[in-house]
Amino acid sequence: LPVDLPFAETFSKYPSRYLSVQTGENIEAKYINSSIGTLPAGSNLLVLACRDTVAGFDRKDYFNETKNSTNMGRIRMCELDLAGIPPTERVLLHISGALGAQSPNDLSTARMRVFAGADGKQPIANQLGEWENRPTLYDQEWVYELPNRIKHQIVIEFSGHGQNDLLAIGRFAVERP
């Protein structure tokens, strides 16, 4: 992806040219013709939805690949080249969406986290200092500061415990504050 900022993907055309999706057996990836908040007309949602509970799911470590891989999904961005951004400038990854739980009475059944760096394996905390996001009863804005002067692989990981746990993304943006 070129360094022209701001960049925003609102899924008006799908599948996305910039994001690829990998899912476990119990995760369905789909686009929903609906938008949230103040997104432009014609926007859609990219959704990773959990279809079932898996026996032996590790609720202490939602991202346990050995026990939970069937209920996990990844959204991977094409390479993001920030090598030419001056060291004095900040660059933000801004994700608009929702993390939903199977029951509004138990908001602990899904997780989302973000990785960056040259290999896409460095976990990054959002601007609230959280490494893992949890469901709420409302739409959310997740913001992450990206180190500049390097090329990044951005990876969003989702894990859901059971049916109807989901991650819905309406806007995926890279911008300067």
Side-chain angles (χ1 to χ4, degrees):
L1 183 68
V3 79
D4 278 342
L5 298 179
F7 161 80
E9 171 67 280
T10 59
F11 311 105
S12 58
K13 294 181 182 178
Y14 50 87
S16 172
R17 295 180 300 161
Y18 308 104
L19 304 172
S20 63
V21 177
Q22 300 169 311
T23 63
E25 292 174 33
N26 287 338
I27 300 290
E28 177 184 8
K30 57 188 172 183
Y31 290 91
I32 297 178
N33 295 354
S34 176
S35 62
I36 58 174
T38 59
L39 296 178
S43 298
N44 296 290
L45 300 176
L46 170 57
V47 176
L48 298 182
C50 192
R51 293 188 284 228
D52 202 0
T53 304
V54 63
F57 187 92
D58 183 355
R59 289 195 70 173
K60 291 182 180 173
D61 178 6
Y62 269 68
F63 297 100
N64 179 331
E65 290 277 345
T66 304
K67 295 183 177 182
N68 301 349
S69 63
T70 58
N71 285 30
M72 293 174 62
R74 286 181 185 79
I75 300 170
R76 189 177 301 272
M77 183 181 185
C78 62
E79 182 178 83
L80 175 65
D81 186 353
L82 299 180
I85 301 290
T88 56
E89 292 187 32
R90 295 173 56 217
V91 177
L92 303 177
L93 171 65
H94 184 171
I95 303 167
S96 303
L99 194 55
Q102 49 190 289
S103 167
N105 299 321
D106 183 2
L107 298 178
S108 70
T109 59
R111 303 281 190 283
M112 185 265 282
R113 64 183 180 179
V114 176
F115 293 85
D119 60 2
K121 294 183 179 180
Q122 294 174 291
I124 56 175
N126 64 29
Q127 288 199 318
L128 300 176
E130 300 164 332
W131 296 93
E132 289 185 8
N133 300 292
R134 294 179 179 228
T136 63
L137 296 174
Y138 49 86
D139 295 341
Q140 295 173 281
E141 302 289 330
W142 299 291
V143 179
Y144 301 83
E145 187 158 350
L146 296 173
N148 55 18
R149 313 284 302 158
I150 66 169
K151 293 180 180 181
H152 284 278
Q153 294 291 320
I154 306 292
V155 178
I156 300 169
E157 280 190 337
F158 165 74
S159 181
H161 178 254
Q163 188 173 9
N164 297 327
D165 287 329
L166 63 85
L167 170 63
I169 298 176
R171 183 173 178 267
F172 181 96
V174 180
E175 54 200 21
R176 290 183 171 115

